[in-house]
Amino acid sequence: MSNLIQIKEILEKYNKIPKRSLGQNFLINPEIAKKTAEICMGGVFPPVDGVLEIGPGIGALTVELCRLYKKVAAVEIDRTFEPILNDIMANYSNLNIIFDDILRVDLHNLVKNEFSECEKIYVCANLPYYITTPVILKLLKSGVRFNGITVMVQKEAADRLCSKAGEANYNATATVINYYGEAKKMFNVPKLDFYPAPKILSTVVRIIPHNAPIANPKSEGLMYKIIDAAFEQRRKTLVNALVNSMNLDKEKVINIVKKITGNESIRGEELNVRMFADISDLIYDLQIINK
């Protein structure tokens, strides 16, 4: 399924042209699909777990997932893949393909309907650049307890996803990831392992949830708002970013930031998720914002 000759034959048979607008690049190295599927679960494959795949395309990774997991639910936005997937995946009874936009799917209902008999649930996806951040944030903020999230993304996106406080690439998405778990770059995928070849290198990233929460904000929603505000105006101090974005009283924000960080001139990119949670709780307690 993941070699150039087969993929070209399949695309020609079904008169399918990869859509650049949807970031459709198909794996042509069979070892990459196999390795990604194995990494998703951390190399242990009890036949009791399920996986949500996002963007199966013509099924190169889907085949490998079906071989390892009890149940696979694959969400695909491009309905023109339907005849291809129905043909190629016909022999896999543990697969359900859902033609929908993952950003519009109710994840709680999907998990309830698809994985009720699975002990653990993982996510595996080859994400195009334009939806990398929205998809990851939706997965993490959904409240669904995924046991691991493995994504293949552009290398520059991987650098940002795996960044930590104080690093140049640190951003709002990385902060939310750090709240949920730990992101680790697993391996790079050369451009020529795809058809058509993308312009830059890709990287497989694995996000593993913390065994215990590293922060317990009184309002996750408020903490997320504060994180977003901090990075939307990252050249400003945290105080000014929060005051401008959230219409807060400046003196009160200065006192809160000084209490948590000791520095009223600190920028948001210097704070770890625990600090964001502590600031969020003080703002929550003082009731200086509409929660």
Side-chain angles (χ1 to χ4, degrees), residues 46-63:
V48 292
D49 294 338
V51 61
L52 166 63
E53 184 188 9
I54 301 169
I58 61 174
L61 179 58
T62 315
V63 168

Side-chain angles (χ1 to χ4, degrees), residues 228-237 240-241 244-245 267:
D228 288 342
F231 288 98
E232 282 173 1
Q233 303 181 55
R234 61 185 304 141
R235 293 188 178 182
K236 295 181 180 292
T237 65
N240 287 333
N244 293 340
S245 295
R267 299 182 187 274

